[in-house]
Amino acid sequence: MSHRKETEAMVVPQPIEDWTQTPWRKLERTVYRLQKRIYQASLRGNDKAVHNLQRLLMKSKAARTLAVRKMTQDNQGKRTAGVDGIKSVKPAQRLALVKYLRHHKQIKPQPTRRVWIPKPGKAEKRPLGIPTMLDRAHQCLTKLALEPEWEARFEADSYGFRPGRSAQDAIQAIFIYICKQPKYVLDADIANCFNQINHETLLHKLQTFPAMRRAIKAWLRAGVLEDNVFEPTTAGTPQGGPLSPLLANIALHGMVQAVQQGYKGKDKPRLVRYADDLVVLYRTREGIEQAKSRLEDWLKDMGLEMKPSKTRIAHTLEALGAEAPGFDFLGFEIRQYSVGKHHSGTLHGKRLGFKTLIRPSKEAIKRHREGLRAVVLAGTGLSQGALIGQLNPKIRGWSRYYRSVAAKKTLNDCDYHLFPLLLRWAKRRHTRKSASWIRTRYWRTMGQDHWRFATPDGLYLSDHAATAIQRHVKVKGTTSPFDGNLLYWAKRLQQSHPLNRSKLGALLHKQQGKCRWCELHFTENDLIEIDHITPRSEGGTDALSNLFALHRHCHDQRHTKKHVWGTHDTSHPIEEPDEGKALMSGSEGGQEGAIPLA
């Protein structure tokens, strides 16, 4: 039997219950209570209690139902098929999948389908392994049980692929470590990290109960199918599955302890890691060399090594031989500059004599400008509104990513470089028209702005510089969304998240960080959508008073319609199609859309 037929047989429609009537609020609370207990048991070091609670969680119908919903409704890549060829699972089939997961110990993983995607700004490509729909749901169920245990163990300065943490947290941590004293820095990148992790070392590190160990081992060694050619996997955690980022973080856990081994007191090297990118900071060159040597030895045990072309030792303030001062990390340029007494900060009454500046890196700026240029050049046949619709998400997303640093000059420069591209686009459309005619056709006066690229109906191009600079507040130490402090995480989402100045941010403030449909607090892992109270088709507007924020699955549930060929019917519930949703376009949005918060 083919993989597609096998999976279809597992999710055959069994309309025993109504998926739309599932009590999501009750299920989420049940799962969260169990996850919090796992987190607390892991903090105490009670492994037996952790494993018992994990077994209980994976058997519960609440966790199985949430895992299926995450993979079939909330997941951004839900329409990407694995080797089974299934791109979607209808509501009636999801309940059968939930029941099948009850026997998760008997599920045999299928090979992943290999897909190659380009790396940003590079010619090389990154391999993804797309699991089948059943394996995705099974992995998500395992992650629900495994993540709270390891969230209680991970180091404070590990930020990549973790709930409630972001790249901005990592950058702010670096700023805190260097703002009072210049440091030597080891800027390192792990070569081919996801594909080289040693399976046996990872499984030994997990120290989990036998059933989960067998399941994870089977996923790691399930193999890859590319162009109908099977290739076994002897190392690595294939990117593309919901469990892979967590397994990679577990594999890399322990770096800080390895680097700081042998140091006493508070004077220790500081390691900040985001996934496989990391920096080590220390006040002396000898200490950085020693940390590099220990890090190389530690990585060998995991089957990994640092990439020589992306590993360098530099200084944050001074040039170090041929190495320029400062370093780039996660698209940010981090550097210190010598200043006079009038611009210098102080420490214990003494002037520091330098200033720490963090800005978008030159490579990130170049990639962004090239991306905008490619959109404009390819949009010759597009209308002005369609071109604005393609440019606005890129402009807003990039600007909000860098809004927490000294990026105002960079944002102004990006607007300056975009103007001639738009002018050239307009001239290509009207080769025989004068410049004044083109200007009045495509650029309009809106408020105090006399040069706004906008359509007659008011849709306008966002400016990079319109994004206000807002300092990011770093997450507290080792706190985790599983610690039970929901008020802290709800307030953090409202006040500290990069989106909090957009229309979505205003709605989060208005709703006190809660979904208007299920009344549960939003978390940074949720996909939040904006909906109209009174639909636009019935005269509703895009004003804040007519909008509210809700989960993606709550949005689908709210828009369940009862109709058959245009007439109302109570027996045919139909979900609103996700494919028709566009990204929310910030303060001047007007269209419903999903915005991933992490």
Side-chain angles (χ1 to χ4, degrees), residues 3 7 20 122 221 224 241 269 291 312 317:
H3 297 307
T7 310
T20 61
K122 300 178 182 178
R221 299 185 177 179
V224 175
R312 58 189 285 264
L317 179 62

Side-chain angles (χ1 to χ4, degrees), residues 167 171 277 327-334 358-365 367 398 401-402 405:
I171 297 300
D277 293 327
F327 61 98
D328 292 351
F329 189 62
L330 302 179
F332 294 84
E333 180 192 73
I334 303 167
I358 303 178
R359 295 175 288 198
S361 68
K362 294 180 177 63
E363 186 63 29
I365 297 171
R367 285 200 307 266
W398 196 84
Y401 182 79
Y402 291 105
V405 299

Side-chain angles (χ1 to χ4, degrees), residues 319-539:
L320 201 62
E323 295 290 347
F327 61 98
D328 292 351
F329 189 62
L330 302 179
F332 294 84
E333 180 192 73
I334 303 167
R335 185 178 171 184
Q336 294 171 326
Y337 297 85
S338 298
V339 295
K341 63 179 182 179
H342 297 294
H343 295 277
S344 174
T346 60
L347 178 64
H348 304 309
K350 295 183 179 180
R351 291 190 181 91
L352 296 174
F354 64 88
K355 178 188 293 185
T356 302
L357 288 181
I358 303 178
R359 295 175 288 198
S361 68
K362 294 180 177 63
E363 186 63 29
I365 297 171
K366 181 181 177 182
R367 285 200 307 266
H368 179 58
R369 289 178 181 171
E370 288 178 349
L372 295 179
R373 180 184 179 87
V375 171
V376 175
L377 292 179
T380 305
L382 297 177
S383 66
Q384 186 182 17
L387 181 63
I388 291 174
Q390 291 192 14
L391 288 174
N392 273 351
K394 291 181 177 291
I395 292 172
R396 292 180 188 129
W398 196 84
S399 301
R400 288 171 184 167
Y401 182 79
Y402 291 105
R403 71 184 303 168
S404 63
V405 299
K408 202 63 178 180
K409 182 178 183 300
T410 300
L411 297 179
N412 278 305
D413 288 345
C414 288
D415 289 327
Y416 177 81
H417 283 83
L418 184 58
F419 176 78
L421 292 176
L422 296 174
L423 185 61
R424 192 178 307 169
W425 172 87
K427 287 182 177 179
R428 283 200 304 267
R429 292 173 61 86
H430 306 282
T431 56
R432 298 184 180 183
K433 296 295 184 179
S434 65
S436 60
W437 185 92
I438 290 175
R439 185 263 177 193
T440 56
R441 173 68 181 272
Y442 293 105
W443 279 267
R444 307 176 191 281
T445 299
M446 301 185 72
Q448 297 181 350
D449 193 341
H450 299 287
W451 287 90
R452 174 69 73 177
F453 188 74
T455 62
D457 58 358
L459 179 63
Y460 62 88
L461 185 72
S462 294
D463 289 334
H464 292 81
T467 301
I469 299 301
Q470 179 190 358
R471 302 304 175 191
H472 183 78
V473 180
K474 191 180 82 70
V475 65
K476 291 182 181 178
T478 57
T479 56
S480 169
F482 301 110
D483 58 12
N485 192 356
L486 293 178
L487 183 60
Y488 168 78
W489 293 103
K491 286 185 176 180
R492 178 172 172 80
L493 185 60
Q494 298 174 52
Q495 299 171 2
S496 304
H497 197 275
L499 290 174
N500 75 328
R501 293 287 182 90
S502 64
K503 181 172 287 188
L504 174 62
L507 292 174
L508 291 176
H509 276 283
K510 181 180 176 182
Q511 298 171 201
Q512 297 297 310
K514 291 184 179 181
C515 173
R516 277 282 298 274
W517 186 261
C518 67
E519 297 184 358
L520 292 175
H521 284 286
F522 290 117
T523 68
E524 299 214 8
N525 285 333
D526 290 334
L527 285 169
I528 304 178
E529 296 182 348
I530 296 176
D531 198 11
H532 291 78
I533 298 173
T534 302
R536 284 171 296 180
S537 59
E538 299 178 9

